[in-house]
Every structure is written in structure tokens, then in C-alpha cells.
């Protein structure tokens, strides 16, 4: 997975609600939804996995952390 950086921006509350609602309709995270929109606009390849790779990696890391917690008990 490529390295990522955080970007903060100020948007109108109704736009934020619309973004979150549309992402949910598409079963995407807000980050995955906005990333797809920006990549399309810039003419860059768009991932079709809906951020699945990122979510699987996070779940694997959490699982390993839980395994470590269990072995400590």
C-alpha cells in the first residue's frame, strides 16, 4: 500500500453530510469515496476495491494486536 498523508479542509455542513451519505450508499469509506472522485477528475487510475485493501490491512493489524494482548494474559 502506498504511503498516505492527511488533508484537512473546511466544507459546508450540508456538503459533508452529502459526501458521507453518498459514500455510505456506495459502501465506501468517506476517504475511499473522495479518493475515487479526485482520481477520476485528475485522470488517474481508480481502484475498484472500495478501500478494501486498506480495511483488510487494518483488520489484520488489529488481529495481531489482540493476539499479542491475549498472550500477555
Amino acid at each position: 500500500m502506498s504511503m498516505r498523508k492527511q488533508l484537512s479542509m473546511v466544507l459546508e455542513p450540508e456538503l459533508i453530510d452529502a459526501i458521507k451519505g453518498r459514500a455510505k450508499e456506495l459502501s465506501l469509506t468517506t476517504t475511499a469515496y473522495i479518493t475515487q472522485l479526485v482520481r477520476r477528475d485528475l485522470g488517474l487510475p481508480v481502484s475498484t476495491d472500495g478501500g478494501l485493501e486498506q480495511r483488510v490491512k487494518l483488520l489484520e493489524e488489529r488481529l495481531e494486536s489482540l493476539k499479542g494482548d491475549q498472550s500477555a494474559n
Side-chain angles (χ1 to χ4, degrees), residues 1 5 9 11 14 16 18-19 26 28 35 38 40 42 46-48 51-52 56-59 61 64 70-72:
M1 182 189 312
K5 291 185 178 182
M9 60 178 73
L11 300 171
E14 53 275 352
I16 293 170
I19 290 168
L26 297 172
L28 296 172
T35 298
V38 172
R40 272 193 202 108
L42 296 174
V46 177
S47 171
T48 57
L52 181 60
V56 168
K57 183 174 174 28
L58 288 171
L59 287 172
E61 290 171 358
E64 288 303 314
Q70 283 183 340
S71 65

Side-chain angles (χ1 to χ4, degrees), residues 25-71:
E25 288 173 12
L26 297 172
S27 299
L28 296 172
T29 63
T30 303
T31 298
Y33 174 60
I34 292 173
T35 298
Q36 284 186 7
L37 291 175
V38 172
R39 291 183 73 78
R40 272 193 202 108
D41 184 64
L42 296 174
L44 299 171
V46 177
S47 171
T48 57
D49 69 5
L52 181 60
E53 180 182 339
Q54 178 185 3
R55 287 186 268 175
V56 168
K57 183 174 174 28
L58 288 171
L59 287 172
E60 287 173 342
E61 290 171 358
R62 288 180 188 161
L63 180 59
E64 288 303 314
S65 174
L66 290 172
K67 286 179 183 177
D69 290 347
Q70 283 183 340
S71 65

